Amino acid sequence: MDSSNFQKKNVLITGASRGIGKATALAFAQNGANVGINFRTNKEEALRTLAELPGDGHHLFQQDISKKEGAKALIDHFVEKYSQLDVLVNNAGISIFHEIDQVDFDHWTHAWEKTFETNLFAAANLCYWAAQSMMKSGGGHIVNVSSRGAFRGEPTKPAYGASKAALNAMSQSLAKKLAPHNIFVGVVAPGFTETEMAAKTLTPEERENLLRESPFKRMAQPKEVAHAILFLASEGAAYTSGTIIDVNGASYLRS
Ligand SMILES: NC(=O)c1ccc[n+]([C@@H]2O[C@H](COP(=O)([O-])OP(=O)(O)OC[C@H]3O[C@@H](n4cnc5c(N)ncnc54)[C@H](OP(=O)(O)O)[C@@H]3O)[C@@H](O)[C@H]2O)c1
């Protein structure tokens, strides 16, 4: 990968205060990009991430992207600050337990609504506003962060698996529609990755099964997911538009 690709590129990453988003922010900054770090609530952590990025062209953008006005405001504020959006990484995501044989109906509907608001509708709304901006400026790259759960079933979090499968389908539709505008859309689908989300959502039994399933006997590191995101956002990867890259250590293979 030509690291000079990202010199002077303006990159917006949702949910970049920690986890995969933070590792992605670091990787882009190390490759010369100006990085916009979006987060929702945890300003202290976002400030710590900002302080760790090499270079001085980076800024925080606090916004709840699950609100439709928040998605528009985020792109507006980013474009006000940098004039142009070159790369959007839709990384922010949530995951809520809602086992069909365990929870009441209120919990069930709450989990479906909240999961889809963040994992699908926010990404769709951000793609909409990012595309309006990129169509004016001559193009750009969008990378959406999905999950292995889109393919292999998520029995304890069915809304999560469904939201990521829908994110994959949306990304492929937009890859076709936006190609004539020089806008490339790709997807990275990680397996379990060492972040707070994995720590919170894995039961001890699931963690044990997971390590048993993994030929590497470990989870992904956030920077391994970031590496695939940077590849899809690079100029040379334009013709891979519409692809879904698995980063799951061969724990779930599809052809
Ligand atoms: N970790 C895994 O095992 C794994 C596996 C497959 C796929 N993924 C996907 O990878 C992505 C990142 O996961 P992660 O493990 O790094 O997550 P994480 O550690 O839980 O971090 C989530 C980030 O998203 C932000 N966020 C959540 N809701 C938001 C909202 N409504 N508006 C703005 N920001 C919001 C959080 O900000 P605050 O801190 O301010 O709340 C935080 O920065 C997600 O899409 C996830 O589904 C993760």
Side-chain angles (χ1 to χ4, degrees):
M1 191 191 319
D2 178 3
S3 60
S4 64
N5 273 350
F6 298 110
Q7 293 293 333
K8 299 205 173 76
K9 294 286 184 195
N10 302 320
V11 178
L12 173 60
I13 307 167
T14 66
S17 55
R18 55 193 157 92
I20 293 169
K22 176 180 180 173
T24 306
L26 271 167
F28 273 114
Q30 283 158 356
N31 284 290
N34 299 316
V35 181
I37 298 170
N38 161 250
F39 67 104
R40 178 184 42 179
T41 45
N42 195 337
K43 188 156 192 181
E44 232 172 85
E45 199 147 25
L47 280 167
R48 270 201 297 275
T49 298
L50 180 66
E52 286 178 38
L53 301 193
D56 54 12
H58 319 299
H59 296 280
L60 295 185
F61 294 87
Q62 183 166 14
Q63 202 67 246
D64 181 349
I65 56 161
S66 69
K67 312 278 177 236
K68 65 180 171 194
E69 57 284 4
K72 179 176 188 317
L74 176 58
I75 302 292
D76 284 351
H77 292 162
F78 185 93
V79 174
E80 262 164 40
K81 181 68 88 184
Y82 291 105
S83 310
Q84 184 169 315
L85 172 61
D86 298 304
V87 177
L88 167 67
V89 181
N90 280 312
N91 164 75
I94 60 167
S95 136
I96 302 170
F97 282 113
H98 53 289
E99 293 176 69
I100 196 164
D101 56 355
Q102 306 279 327
V103 300
D104 64 26
F105 188 59
D106 281 348
H107 184 109
W108 177 258
T109 53
H110 172 83
W112 277 87
E113 282 161 18
K114 287 289 152 205
T115 304
F116 267 70
E117 275 170 14
T118 303
N119 295 7
L120 182 67
F121 302 156
N125 296 338
L126 287 162
C127 282
Y128 178 86
W129 291 114
Q132 308 310 308
S133 170
M134 289 172 177
M135 284 191 279
K136 279 192 208 131
S137 63
H141 290 249
I142 298 173
V143 183
N144 294 329
V145 181
S146 175
S147 171
R148 180 183 64 165
F151 307 108
R152 60 147 206 175
E154 287 283 359
T156 59
K157 295 159 270 179
Y160 181 79
S163 70
K164 296 299 190 178
L167 183 68
N168 293 348
M170 178 193 79
S171 304
Q172 292 184 324
S173 301
L174 293 183
K176 279 182 182 272
K177 184 65 182 168
L178 292 172
H181 298 282
N182 226 22
I183 301 172
F184 311 106
V185 185
V187 178
V188 173
F192 274 114
T193 308
E194 289 281 6
T195 69
E196 236 171 84
M197 179 187 277
K200 275 192 202 146
T201 60
L202 275 176
T203 62
E205 195 194 0
E206 278 176 325
R207 180 176 279 271
E208 215 176 279
N209 285 342
L210 160 87
L211 295 180
R212 206 176 305 123
E213 275 170 16
S214 161
F216 288 86
K217 302 290 171 226
R218 66 171 180 86
M219 292 193 195
Q221 291 302 311
K223 68 178 181 195
E224 294 176 299
V225 181
H227 191 72
I229 293 172
L230 259 71
F231 167 73
L232 287 178
S234 64
E235 288 302 329
Y239 209 65
T240 64
S241 196
T243 202
I244 302 172
I245 298 185
D246 293 322
V247 185
N248 66 37
S251 60
Y252 183 83
L253 298 175
R254 61 198 173 88
S255 54

